[in-house]
Amino acid sequence: LLGTTITISSNHWVMAWTGLEINTLAILPLISKSHHPRAIEAATKYFLVQAAASALVLFSSMTNAWHTGQWDITQLTHPVSCLILTSAIAMKLGLVPFHFWFPEVLQGSPLTTGLLLSTIMKLPPMALLFMTSPSLNPTLLTTMAILSTALGGWMGLNQTQTRKILAFSSISHLGWMAVIVIYNPKLTLLNFYLYVLMTST
């Protein structure tokens, strides 16, 4: 909760990054709680992906600060920074082509942790997506969004396990949210709240 709150309420890139890191470290014990080899594997995969994505967030904000002298989240103007940040947020959320970790991690987690992973843990990257939506790379984001929507639907058809179905459903929903965020960020938030409500039930 603290990590999510810090990321959502921050104006400075370093604070947003700190919140994301707190979040990642907080969920790891919950994933690996059962001491089952699959749970440990899921926790390791989750940690590696999230650490890489956080490093990219920090790298993009540093590149932007280097060129513009701004650490403000809404002042992301450098094109390379925008490209890297779009990829970083996609990795954190689990958009195609960075989606491979999500079904595996969800399958290795208990159901309550799976709920946290697919709802609350998606909130900080969604907030960053919302705040930086004017400056994100629209072509890259739209491409990833369309691929996510298609792949989430197709892969979900082929599953027999509930958690994997939920994972692919999440990927598909995130695709829709990512494509809407360019045109109407508030509609994306509404979509996200509805998605959280449905997944929770």
Side-chain angles (χ1 to χ4, degrees), residues 1 7 12 37-38 55 64 91 110 122:
L1 283 171
T7 303
H12 196 283
R38 180 169 279 210
N64 189 61
M91 202 184 272
K122 294 261 192 273

PDB file of all heavy atoms in Angstrom, residues 1 7 12 37-38 55 64 91 110 122:
ATOM      1  N   LEU A   1       0.830  -1.216   0.000  1.00  0.00           N
ATOM      2  CA  LEU A   1       0.000   0.000   0.000  1.00  0.00           C
ATOM      3  C   LEU A   1       0.857   1.255   0.000  1.00  0.00           C
ATOM      4  O   LEU A   1       0.561   2.219  -0.699  1.00  0.00           O
ATOM      5  CB  LEU A   1      -0.935   0.001   1.207  1.00  0.00           C
ATOM      6  CG  LEU A   1      -2.163  -0.925   1.097  1.00  0.00           C
ATOM      7  CD1 LEU A   1      -2.879  -0.994   2.420  1.00  0.00           C
ATOM      8  CD2 LEU A   1      -3.106  -0.458   0.007  1.00  0.00           C
ATOM      9  N   THR A   7       4.042   5.983  -5.380  1.00  0.00           N
ATOM     10  CA  THR A   7       4.111   6.126  -6.844  1.00  0.00           C
ATOM     11  C   THR A   7       2.983   7.002  -7.375  1.00  0.00           C
ATOM     12  O   THR A   7       3.209   7.869  -8.216  1.00  0.00           O
ATOM     13  CB  THR A   7       4.042   4.742  -7.525  1.00  0.00           C
ATOM     14  OG1 THR A   7       5.103   3.946  -7.018  1.00  0.00           O
ATOM     15  CG2 THR A   7       4.190   4.848  -9.027  1.00  0.00           C
ATOM     16  N   HIS A  12       7.988  13.474  -8.765  1.00  0.00           N
ATOM     17  CA  HIS A  12       9.395  13.330  -9.118  1.00  0.00           C
ATOM     18  C   HIS A  12       9.660  11.894  -9.536  1.00  0.00           C
ATOM     19  O   HIS A  12       9.146  10.963  -8.935  1.00  0.00           O
ATOM     20  CB  HIS A  12      10.227  13.695  -7.879  1.00  0.00           C
ATOM     21  CG  HIS A  12      11.664  13.964  -8.179  1.00  0.00           C
ATOM     22  ND1 HIS A  12      12.557  12.960  -8.417  1.00  0.00           N
ATOM     23  CD2 HIS A  12      12.351  15.123  -8.270  1.00  0.00           C
ATOM     24  CE1 HIS A  12      13.754  13.486  -8.639  1.00  0.00           C
ATOM     25  NE2 HIS A  12      13.651  14.807  -8.559  1.00  0.00           N
ATOM     26  N   PRO A  37       8.458 -25.325  -5.017  1.00  0.00           N
ATOM     27  CA  PRO A  37       9.407 -24.920  -6.077  1.00  0.00           C
ATOM     28  C   PRO A  37       8.787 -24.010  -7.138  1.00  0.00           C
ATOM     29  O   PRO A  37       9.417 -23.070  -7.609  1.00  0.00           O
ATOM     30  CB  PRO A  37       9.830 -26.255  -6.698  1.00  0.00           C
ATOM     31  CG  PRO A  37       9.631 -27.252  -5.626  1.00  0.00           C
ATOM     32  CD  PRO A  37       8.494 -26.766  -4.787  1.00  0.00           C
ATOM     33  N   ARG A  38       7.519 -24.252  -7.485  1.00  0.00           N
ATOM     34  CA  ARG A  38       6.842 -23.432  -8.491  1.00  0.00           C
ATOM     35  C   ARG A  38       6.654 -22.001  -7.992  1.00  0.00           C
ATOM     36  O   ARG A  38       6.780 -21.048  -8.754  1.00  0.00           O
ATOM     37  CB  ARG A  38       5.478 -24.059  -8.829  1.00  0.00           C
ATOM     38  CG  ARG A  38       4.709 -23.277  -9.857  1.00  0.00           C
ATOM     39  CD  ARG A  38       3.527 -24.034 -10.359  1.00  0.00           C
ATOM     40  NE  ARG A  38       3.917 -24.988 -11.368  1.00  0.00           N
ATOM     41  CZ  ARG A  38       3.134 -25.379 -12.367  1.00  0.00           C
ATOM     42  NH1 ARG A  38       1.926 -24.890 -12.476  1.00  0.00           N
ATOM     43  NH2 ARG A  38       3.544 -26.263 -13.243  1.00  0.00           N
ATOM     44  N   ALA A  55      14.599  -0.516 -13.672  1.00  0.00           N
ATOM     45  CA  ALA A  55      15.865   0.050 -14.154  1.00  0.00           C
ATOM     46  C   ALA A  55      15.629   0.877 -15.420  1.00  0.00           C
ATOM     47  O   ALA A  55      16.210   1.955 -15.589  1.00  0.00           O
ATOM     48  CB  ALA A  55      16.863  -1.069 -14.431  1.00  0.00           C
ATOM     49  N   ASN A  64      16.046  11.754 -19.826  1.00  0.00           N
ATOM     50  CA  ASN A  64      15.229  12.957 -19.989  1.00  0.00           C
ATOM     51  C   ASN A  64      15.796  14.125 -19.180  1.00  0.00           C
ATOM     52  O   ASN A  64      15.893  15.246 -19.673  1.00  0.00           O
ATOM     53  CB  ASN A  64      13.790  12.666 -19.558  1.00  0.00           C
ATOM     54  CG  ASN A  64      12.846  13.797 -19.917  1.00  0.00           C
ATOM     55  OD1 ASN A  64      12.680  14.133 -21.076  1.00  0.00           O
ATOM     56  ND2 ASN A  64      12.255  14.412 -18.909  1.00  0.00           N
ATOM     57  N   MET A  91       6.414  -3.485 -19.802  1.00  0.00           N
ATOM     58  CA  MET A  91       7.022  -4.620 -19.106  1.00  0.00           C
ATOM     59  C   MET A  91       6.419  -4.782 -17.712  1.00  0.00           C
ATOM     60  O   MET A  91       6.137  -5.885 -17.265  1.00  0.00           O
ATOM     61  CB  MET A  91       8.530  -4.381 -19.008  1.00  0.00           C
ATOM     62  CG  MET A  91       9.350  -5.627 -18.808  1.00  0.00           C
ATOM     63  SD  MET A  91      11.092  -5.240 -18.581  1.00  0.00           S
ATOM     64  CE  MET A  91      11.651  -5.236 -20.262  1.00  0.00           C
ATOM     65  N   PRO A 110      -0.433 -18.311  -4.932  1.00  0.00           N
ATOM     66  CA  PRO A 110      -1.759 -18.629  -4.363  1.00  0.00           C
ATOM     67  C   PRO A 110      -2.807 -17.669  -4.926  1.00  0.00           C
ATOM     68  O   PRO A 110      -2.442 -16.599  -5.429  1.00  0.00           O
ATOM     69  CB  PRO A 110      -1.573 -18.377  -2.860  1.00  0.00           C
ATOM     70  CG  PRO A 110      -0.105 -18.251  -2.643  1.00  0.00           C
ATOM     71  CD  PRO A 110       0.516 -17.839  -3.924  1.00  0.00           C
ATOM     72  N   LYS A 122      -1.041  -3.619 -10.402  1.00  0.00           N
ATOM     73  CA  LYS A 122      -1.129  -2.978 -11.720  1.00  0.00           C
ATOM     74  C   LYS A 122      -1.425  -1.480 -11.583  1.00  0.00           C
ATOM     75  O   LYS A 122      -1.342  -0.738 -12.549  1.00  0.00           O
ATOM     76  CB  LYS A 122      -2.256  -3.628 -12.543  1.00  0.00           C
ATOM     77  CG  LYS A 122      -2.001  -5.071 -12.903  1.00  0.00           C
ATOM     78  CD  LYS A 122      -1.473  -5.189 -14.304  1.00  0.00           C
ATOM     79  CE  LYS A 122      -1.472  -6.604 -14.796  1.00  0.00           C
ATOM     80  NZ  LYS A 122      -0.281  -7.360 -14.453  1.00  0.00           N
TER      81      LYS A 122
END
